[in-house]
Structure formats: structure tokens, C-alpha cells
């Protein structure tokens, strides 16, 4: 197969058993429903299909592994890369004793619920939008618990096509960051969570869901928290004055709750949620986010950092 895209013109694309879609509109795959086309979308049939494809794909061709698109803005000009998206063959959840192993495409909420039924506490995952691959890559966390807290290892296919096992020391977990190699695709991850009473775990998740729905715009098109919470901020510069802040609070104090640009809005319900009101472009969303950052810095001197990943080219 050959592709005629500007960045991959005359590149031979290796044969696959999975599905290849040239020019796939990524707006169809992101929660914010914005974004231009990818040069090529690849949905592998199984790990061997993915490994063979990456091994044969010319090394100069960029690869972007994509989950369920819950924490992503794809710019309106699209993405000059091969986007890899794992499907049903990569979403198995297995429990063996005190270990939970989940495919990268398994939804966080499903993993939390199945673990709870087995008396294992991964309840922090219940309200996190997305899948396990993204949870590992971004060290997802909620209610004071992070993926790194229970992580054992991940099975990964590198850009070269080599299949490897990575442990915590390889990923170097940090706040919303890891050192996952460029172009690597997570296949599955294993966790060793603490034990808990299944009924108590179910009750906790129900309480978390109720709290989320009461405080966040869960029925709107959003990508979760827009900015990371500022950490280690000091209003005086003194070491004994350092304290953590909430992004929603500094956004609200800067007068940006409910702010709009085109079809984009900072939610009235939760000031750190950027939403598509129905007809926003990626440029609207990113532009409003940058305006929020500017206003917050002008008001408090705090530089907000994006938590939503932004990729691709402007239109």
C-alpha cells in the first residue's frame, strides 16, 4: 500500500492483517470531537500484527499511539503520522491471585469494577476517563492515588518492533508523566493493588461517581482536567511559604470561569474543564486555553501547564 499524504508520499506501507484507513478524521475518535485527519490510521489485529508492521515501517515515518482520545486535542490541520489505535483484541482483563493484568485498550472504569468484584482496590480508576494504556503513559491518578502506586510492569512494543517488558524504573513515573520511549505502544499492564471488601469497594466507587457528577461537566464534550494543578507555588518566595494550589481556583480568581472563544468554553460548573459547546474548532479550544494561561499569569504570576495533550498541525 502507498500513501499520497504530503509527509509520507511514496512511502511503502507494509501489509497487515488489521485495518488501515488513510486520511482518517481524528475528530471522530476524540472526546472533544475536533481535529483534522491522520495520514494513516492502523488498527492491528493482534500484537504480532503490530510488531511486524512497526518493524517493516520505514524508521523515518512518525508513529502516534492513540487511546480513546479522552485527554487529547488534535489540531485542525491533522496529524502527519501513522496513528495506531488498539481495539477489542487488546482489552482483556485477567485477575490471578492479587495481580490484575489489563490490556491497554481496557477502559479504566471496567478494570476498576472487575478488580473490585475480586476484592482488589483499583477504585481510583473508576472515575478516570480513558483506557489503561493512557493511564500508564500519563501516570493517571485520582483521590490521592496514582497508577505508579500499584504498577508492576507493562508489555510494550517499541518503534523498532521489538517486544519488551518495562518496569517502574524504566518508566520513571512522575506527576502526569513517564519516560515511555518515543513511538512505543503499550500492550498491557500489570498491577498489585491492596485487598478490600468487594461491597465496600463498590460503595466507594458509587460515592466517587456521585461526587464527580455533582462537580464536573460529565455530560459535556470535554477532555477532563485542562491544566495541571500548580505545585510548589510560593507567594513570597520563601521556602516555608510553599503550598499547592488547585488549577480551577486560580482560573476562577483570574475571572475565566465560563470564558468563551468561538465554540469553546471554560465550564461554568468546573473552571478547569474546557468544553466544546457544539461547534468548536481545535483552534478555538487551544486558543481559549492559552488565553486562560495568560490571564492567570497576569493575575497571580502562576504559569499553568497543560494536562490535555495537544498534537498535530494548525489548519
Amino acid at each position: 500500500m502507498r500513501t499520497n499524504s504530503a509527509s509520507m508520499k511514496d512511502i511503502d506501507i507494509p501489509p497487515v492483517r488489521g485495518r488501515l484507513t488513510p486520511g482518517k478524521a481524528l475528530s471522530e475518535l476524540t472526546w472533544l470531537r475536533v481535529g483534522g485527519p491522520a495520514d494513516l490510521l492502523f488498527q492491528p489485529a493482534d500484537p504480532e500484527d503490530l510488531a511486524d508492521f512497526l518493524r517493516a515501517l520505514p524508521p523515518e515515518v512518525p508513529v502516534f499511539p492513540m487511546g480513546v482520545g479522552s485527554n487529547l486535542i488534535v489540531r485542525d490541520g491533522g496529524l502527519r503520522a501513522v496513528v495506531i489505535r488498539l481495539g477489542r483484541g487488546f482489552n482483556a482483563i485477567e485477575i490471578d491471585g492479587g495481580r490484575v493484568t489489563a490490556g491497554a485498550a481496557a477502559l479504566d472504569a471496567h478494570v476498576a469494577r472487575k478488580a473490585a468484584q475480586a476484592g482488589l482496590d483499583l477504585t481510583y480508576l473508576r472515575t478516570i476517563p480513558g483506557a489503561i494504556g493512557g493511564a500508564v503513559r500519563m501516570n493517571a491518578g485520582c483521590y490521592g492515588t496514582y497508577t505508579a502506586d500499584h504498577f508492576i510492569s507493562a508489555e510494550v512494543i517499541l518503534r523498532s518492533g521489538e517486544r519488551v517488558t518495562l518496569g517502574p524504573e524504566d518508566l520513571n513515573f512522575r506527576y502526569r508523566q513517564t519516560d515511555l520511549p518515543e513511538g512505543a505502544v503499550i500492550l498491557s499492564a500489570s498491577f498489585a493493588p491492596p485487598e478490600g471488601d468487594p461491597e465496600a469497594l463498590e460503595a466507594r466507587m458509587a460515592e466517587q461517581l456521585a461526587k464527580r457528577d455533582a462537580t464536573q461537566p460529565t455530560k459535556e464534550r470535554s477532555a477532563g482536567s485542562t491544566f495541571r494543578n500548580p505545585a510548589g507555588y510560593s507567594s513570597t518566595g520563601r521556602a516555608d511559604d510553599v503550598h499547592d494550589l488547585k488549577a480551577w481556583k486560580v482560573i476562577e480568581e483570574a475571572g475565566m470561569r465560563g470564558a468563551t472563544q468561538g465554540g469553546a468554553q471554560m465550564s461554568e460548573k468546573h473552571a478547569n474543564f474546557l468544553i466544546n459547546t457544539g461547534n468548536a474548532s481545535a483552534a478555538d479550544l487551544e486558543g481559549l486555553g492559552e488565553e486562560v494561561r495568560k490571564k492567570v499569569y497576569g493575575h497571580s504570576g502562576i504559569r499553568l501547564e497543560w494536562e490535555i495533550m495537544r498534537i498535530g498541525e494548525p489548519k
Side-chain angles (χ1 to χ4, degrees):
M1 175 181 177
R2 285 178 178 268
T3 177
N4 294 319
S5 70
S7 67
M8 291 197 283
K9 188 176 182 180
D10 298 327
I11 294 288
D12 284 321
I13 302 300
V16 299
R17 288 179 287 107
R19 185 176 181 182
L20 289 168
T21 309
K24 177 67 175 180
L26 296 179
S27 59
E28 299 174 9
L29 303 180
T30 66
W31 283 29
L32 281 165
R33 291 294 185 264
V34 297
D39 284 344
L40 189 67
L41 173 70
F42 176 40
Q43 297 164 281
D46 50 45
E48 291 70 29
D49 190 30
L50 174 57
D52 291 343
F53 175 81
L54 289 175
R55 194 176 298 116
L57 189 69
E60 67 272 16
V61 177
V63 165
F64 180 76
M66 180 177 174
V68 296
S70 60
N71 188 43
L72 187 66
I73 291 176
V74 179
R75 297 185 177 105
D76 299 306
L79 190 58
R80 308 287 72 79
V82 175
V83 171
I84 296 174
R85 195 165 194 254
L86 307 183
R88 290 183 179 178
F90 299 85
N91 65 353
I93 304 170
E94 299 177 359
I95 298 177
D96 183 9
R99 177 175 293 202
V100 178
T101 300
L107 295 179
D108 297 334
H110 291 174
V111 176
R113 290 167 62 190
K114 190 161 185 177
Q117 291 167 7
L120 297 172
D121 186 358
L122 288 175
T123 54
Y124 82 98
L125 286 170
R126 182 64 180 90
T127 59
I128 297 177
I132 288 296
V136 171
R137 186 186 187 283
M138 296 299 292
N139 190 20
C142 196
Y143 303 113
T145 301
Y146 294 88
T147 298
D149 295 333
H150 307 309
F151 177 84
I152 299 174
S153 64
E155 292 295 311
V156 174
I157 294 183
L158 302 178
R159 175 61 180 84
S160 63
E162 180 185 3
R163 188 166 177 170
V164 299
T165 300
L166 302 181
E169 67 283 355
D170 301 305
L171 293 181
N172 187 24
F173 287 102
R174 302 180 300 288
Y175 179 67
R176 299 292 188 262
Q177 296 182 67
T178 59
D179 291 338
L180 186 70
E182 185 73 24
V185 183
I186 297 172
L187 298 176
S188 65
S190 294
F191 306 90
E195 296 181 358
D197 176 70
E199 290 188 6
L201 296 177
E202 288 288 350
R204 184 189 303 169
M205 291 189 293
E207 182 180 341
Q208 291 171 350
L209 285 172
K211 180 180 178 181
R212 181 194 67 177
D213 291 344
T215 60
Q216 298 176 9
T218 54
K219 299 192 183 304
E220 305 283 355
R221 292 180 181 175
S222 81
S225 295
T226 305
F227 301 105
R228 300 175 182 177
N229 288 326
Y233 168 72
S234 171
S235 59
T236 64
R238 300 195 317 267
D240 62 354
D241 183 54
V242 172
H243 55 281
D244 292 343
L245 294 175
K246 298 296 185 183
W248 70 264
K249 185 172 179 59
V250 297
I251 293 170
E252 185 172 277
E253 290 173 347
M256 295 302 285
R257 177 188 288 270
T260 62
Q261 181 170 318
Q265 182 183 36
M266 299 308 295
S267 171
E268 291 278 7
K269 193 169 187 178
H270 192 304
N272 193 29
F273 275 65
L274 182 61
I275 61 175
N276 180 353
T277 62
N279 60 348
S281 64
D284 290 339
L285 293 161
E286 189 171 14
L288 178 56
E290 287 299 320
E291 181 66 15
V292 168
R293 295 181 72 233
K294 178 181 176 182
K295 293 289 188 181
V296 167
Y297 182 73
H299 179 265
S300 62
I302 295 172
R303 295 186 186 275
L304 289 176
E305 294 183 22
W306 283 89
E307 185 163 321
I308 297 175
M309 182 181 292
R310 293 149 298 127
I311 61 171
E313 301 176 351
K315 191 170 183 179

